[in-house]
Amino acid sequence: MTSRTAYVAIAFGIVSMLSVLTVAQDKTSPDSTSATPPPVTADYPRDRAGILMGGADWTSVPSEVPTKSHLKHGFAPAVTYGIASAEAVSDYDGLHARVQVEPGRPVICICHVMSLPGHPALVMLHPKKNLRQLDGGNLHIRGKIAEAEKADLIPVNVSQPENGVWLVQPQQALPAGEYALMLGTQNVSIFPFTVSAANPPSVAPEKH
């Protein structure tokens, strides 16, 4: 197989991965259910803009872009004309995010922005070696896109208390792990955070 064919297969796989996440998001978005979710309320900052994590203080959540996007076993579908499946994944450096919160239902404020490129989505990331992976699920390169086997999309409630402000909260308490907010599942620039273990042991200061 030529290098050009390999690159085409990888690029098509990444686009397909984003489509899989979009389909999954539509199934869990508040608009797709008949019951009206309870509104998300929080005393968010009125004088700050960006992605802010609620808590005792509102913490700014920096964005991250993938260092690499690729297909797991991506050559197999290209060689077998789409008969074999592959996983499309994006890699993000580091085992943990800079922003860490305790287990629970944190409120994330998308504060004072002009518009969103898509519905807010909360996803689970998978630690591997020294990085975190965004898993786009199983797909066929030249066949019908398969639905992701693992539910990495976290059901959320979303409220818009005013123009340019959205509050996002998971419907269930998040256990310890790696997560990220996405502003539309077709944008692989994410806002990651780590849910740390409950009551982490304190570290004694060094003696001098």
Side-chain angles (χ1 to χ4, degrees):
M1 180 174 59
T2 65
S3 298
R4 176 171 182 152
T5 303
Y7 288 135
V8 170
I10 292 174
F12 188 85
I14 300 306
V15 172
S16 300
M17 173 193 72
L18 298 175
S19 299
V20 169
L21 285 172
T22 302
V23 171
Q25 180 194 25
D26 291 341
K27 291 184 177 182
T28 58
S29 64
D31 295 338
S32 63
T33 59
S34 57
T36 302
V40 182
T41 59
D43 187 16
Y44 56 89
R46 267 57 176 183
D47 57 351
R48 296 174 60 187
I51 308 302
L52 306 176
M53 178 68 69
D57 295 314
W58 289 86
T59 303
S60 179
V61 182
S63 65
E64 291 187 23
V65 296
T67 54
K68 181 172 64 173
S69 295
H70 58 95
L71 298 179
K72 285 184 180 178
H73 315 299
F75 291 149
V79 174
T80 60
Y81 300 97
I83 297 175
S85 62
E87 284 187 353
V89 297
S90 293
D91 296 341
Y92 300 85
D93 279 344
L95 278 176
H96 303 292
R98 290 170 55 187
V99 175
Q100 300 196 7
V101 299
E102 296 180 352
R105 298 178 60 211
V107 175
I108 303 172
C109 179
I110 305 170
C111 281
H112 309 296
V113 299
M114 295 296 295
S115 62
L116 297 182
H119 292 293
L122 194 62
V123 296
M124 180 185 300
L125 305 180
H126 301 274
K128 183 178 180 181
K129 295 182 179 179
N130 61 339
L131 52 83
R132 293 152 290 153
Q133 289 187 334
L134 172 61
D135 187 352
N138 291 331
L139 52 91
H140 288 285
I141 299 301
R142 298 187 183 181
K144 183 178 179 181
I145 297 174
E147 186 176 344
E149 291 183 354
K150 293 177 291 186
D152 288 346
L153 196 68
I154 309 298
V156 295
N157 295 334
V158 181
S159 295
Q160 188 175 5
E162 62 174 291
N163 289 335
V165 174
W166 290 263
L167 299 177
V168 182
Q169 185 177 40
Q171 294 179 1
Q172 303 293 331
L174 298 179
E178 303 300 321
Y179 302 90
L181 174 73
M182 301 178 72
L183 303 184
T185 51
Q186 293 188 4
N187 186 353
V188 290
S189 175
I190 63 173
F191 297 86
F193 61 95
T194 297
V195 176
S196 55
N199 299 322
S202 59
V203 179
E206 296 182 359
K207 295 182 180 180
H208 297 283

